[in-house]
Every structure is written in C-alpha cells, then in structure tokens.
Amino acid sequence: MNLKLDEWIIEADISSMQVALESGRLSSEELVTVYMERIRKYDSTLKTILELNPDALQIAKALDQERKEQGSRGPLHGIPILLKDNIDTHDNMHTSAGSIALAESFAAEDSFVAAQLRAAGAILLGKANMTEWANFMSPTMWAGYSSRGGLVLNPYGPGELFVSGSSSGSAAAVAANLSAAAIGTETAGSIICPASSHFLVGIKPTVGLVSRSGIIPITYSQDTAGPMARTVKDAAILLGALTGVDERDELTLASKDRYYTDYTPFLDASYLKHARIGIPRFYYSSLDEERLVLMEAAIETLRNEGATIIDPISLPCDEVNWSNQVLRYEFKKYVNDYLAKLPESAPVHSIQDVIAFNEQHADVALKYGQDILIWSEQTSGTLSEQEYLDSLQQNLEFARAQGMDYVLQKYELDALMLPGNYNGSVLAARAGYPIITVPAGYTTQGITDPEGGFSTKGPFGVAFSGTAYSEPTLIKIAYGYEQATLHRVPPTMD
C-alpha cells in the first residue's frame, strides 16, 4: 500500500476510498484495521462505540476477494459503516438501545437497514452508543448517556461541548473519523441536532422512505433512520442504499415510485440559482447572537449563489401549543411489540419488565431515573385514548396542512431554511417530512449548564426542509450551500 493510511484516512470521503480500493492502493481489510486502531486510540475517552463487529475483518477480506473476482457492488463496497445501537443486526453484535436490560440481546434477523447495507457491500463496523431508549427514559438524562456505554463526548471539546440528540455516538464517531459514516435514527431532532453539533451532514428522510422494521422504536408516526456523514455526497450515497419498499413497514408502500437508489445525480450546486428558499423567523427567535449571525451569513451565501430568498415568512402553526402525547402513547405500543418478539430467555418483554429490571439494577440502570418510561407505561398500549388521537390529528393538521405544506405552496418555495437545532427540526419531525443539516460555522460562546458543565458553543449547522419526498431538492440545495462554504473542519484529536 502506497498510502500513509493513518494520515490519509482523516476526512477521507467514500468516493476517494473507492478510488483507492479500485486501484489496489488500499484494501477494505486495511481500511477496517486503521479505523479500529483509531477507535482503540481515541474512543476510551469519547465513548462513541458500544462494540465492534468481531467479524468485521473477515467480512472485509471476503469483500476484497469479491472485488478482485467479480468487481465492485457499488459505492459502498468494502466501506465501514457504524449503526446506532437501536438497529437490529443478525450477527455477533447486540442490539440494546443503550440499555443494560438488553445488553445481551441478539437480533433474530437483520433490520431492513442492515440488510440493505450488507447487500450494498458495506461493512457493519460496530454499534454506536446512544442516549438510552433514544432519550425517552428520563427528562434529566444527558444526551449521549446510556447505562450500557456511559456518556458520549464531543470530540471538538470532550467534557466541555454538548453532543445533542440521541444519535450522539453515531455523530461523534464520524466527526472524529472513527468510521466512514454512520446511521442514526430520529424521532424529533436526533439525527439533525447531533449532526449539527459535530460539523456533519445529517439527513432525516421522509417517514416511510426508509423502513423502520427491526429498529427499536419510539413512535410509528415520526421515527426514521438516516445517514450521518462528513459531506453531502457521502450522505447522499448512503441514503440511496437505505431506501426501498418493505412489506414489514407499511409506510414504505407510499414510497413506491418516489424513492431513488442513487441520490448522487442530485449533487447539483448550480441548482441554487433556481431555488426559492423561505426564512421562517419564528424558529430563529431562540438563537443566541452568534448563531443568529451564522444564520444571517448562510442567508447571504444563498442569495449570492443566486437563490431567491423570501424573508420573512410565517406559518399558521407558529403559535400552536404542541402536545407530545403521540410519543408517550406510541412508545408503549411499539416498544412492547418489539420486546414481545424477543426469545423467552430475554430478561424483558415489555416496558413494565424494563421498569422492574431497572429497579432491580438501580445502581447501574437508574442514574437519571426512569420517569418517562413510567409515564408511558401508564397508558393502555392500545392507542385508543382520545388524548392520543387528538395529539396525532394536531400533528397532521398543523405541521402539514397548516404548516409546511401551506407555506411552501403559498410562497412557491423549494425549502425552508431552519437552524440545525431542536427548534429547527421539530416541525419536520411532527409532519414526517425530510430535513437535512449542513455545517454553517463555529460559535465561541454558549450557554453552560451549571450542573453538567456542558456548553452549547461549538459547531453549528443550518437545515433545509421541504414536503414529503423532497430529498432530491434538499440535497441540491444543501450541496450548493456546502460547496459555496466548506465550513467543516475536523476536530483536533492529539
């Protein structure tokens, strides 16, 4: 091998990896080895990864041999990818959602996402740490904490900067160049927020574009998996491998004839000259001065690249007093469905069992308590309560018809530009619509929590959101903005 791999791997993208693999200057076995070495060197501090795939090197060798004998399967052939620990893999890795109650749980079959990645030739490198139960366990739990893996730290300021969102291990690992890319999951902000906080590109797809079968859920209405990567191109490559109709997830039936297996043709920076982008100022109101400056700079960049900016715009739903009851009710129903399928030998088969298990192992399992689990367990689990039905109807009516669809149609917009934080991501989450975040800059000031000491300063992203299945347009806009700015820089690791 002619590459000085330990240096070259930092910020290497998937396309350059493929060029090196095809030329024979690099093997997938070497690629896995160098990532494992970086993980051993840095991850004892960062705690981004719960476990490595013990078969990763053997899989890499087999894919190297296949490349020589049959050629490449495509852009992900032999590329190491991490999966969030709520995504089932039928192999020698566990799937636990970060909970010690499931620490010894092996999936009976691959999730759709894992199967798609394997078919594309990706190497499932390991399981990423995450906020336990996707941050639906305790209102005081720190983002990135799990009883199984401890607290994920942000490589841009370990122990100082906030990691944000439950896909924090996926984000921190990719940001620190411990994997080529990763898969996260989102209910409301859990891809977008940690991607933004780690100078990454994150895509939360339209709900139903990517199957949720084999993923430990929070909700049926809002959950989806999506890519987290260092570039828009890498995220687009990964998204194309994840899509497809899956009979085990009926929402994917609506994506037939609306999904692509290759999103790279939409990497068109010139599209900004034709784009109409709306600025919903209501969602900027909570930003501190530095983040607002970054948003204004992003608006100016888009304008300079030829985009038509409609500023300000308002949505009929801006002042709605939203309910979170959808998450409460659907969590019990769908987590119970998942746990009920576990083998008899598993220690838990329902949320009630999880609560009891945690109480029995309180010294390890209940650092932050489990008030949200108990709150959800108090529901019937049948989704028949009027409170739930009203909350679901509110989301559908106000986030879609009186929200995003209304304003996109009224102003003939391609997308809304939003902050890459929870406030910016939650409307698209309630609507089930896509959103993509791209690095926008770094802030030096932030709010510091007096107890945990974590600051909200650091990397920050802008986000673009549109109506259902508008991923091609959002990728065009995000790519144009990325290429005009190139804000991402790697963390200093040594």
Side-chain angles (χ1 to χ4, degrees), residues 145-158:
Y145 176 83
S146 73
S147 59
R148 187 177 167 213
L151 181 64
V152 176
L153 298 184
N154 189 320
Y156 289 91

Side-chain angles (χ1 to χ4, degrees), residues 424-441:
S425 63
V426 72
L427 184 62
R430 290 191 172 103
Y433 287 174
I435 183 169
I436 178 171
T437 187
V438 186

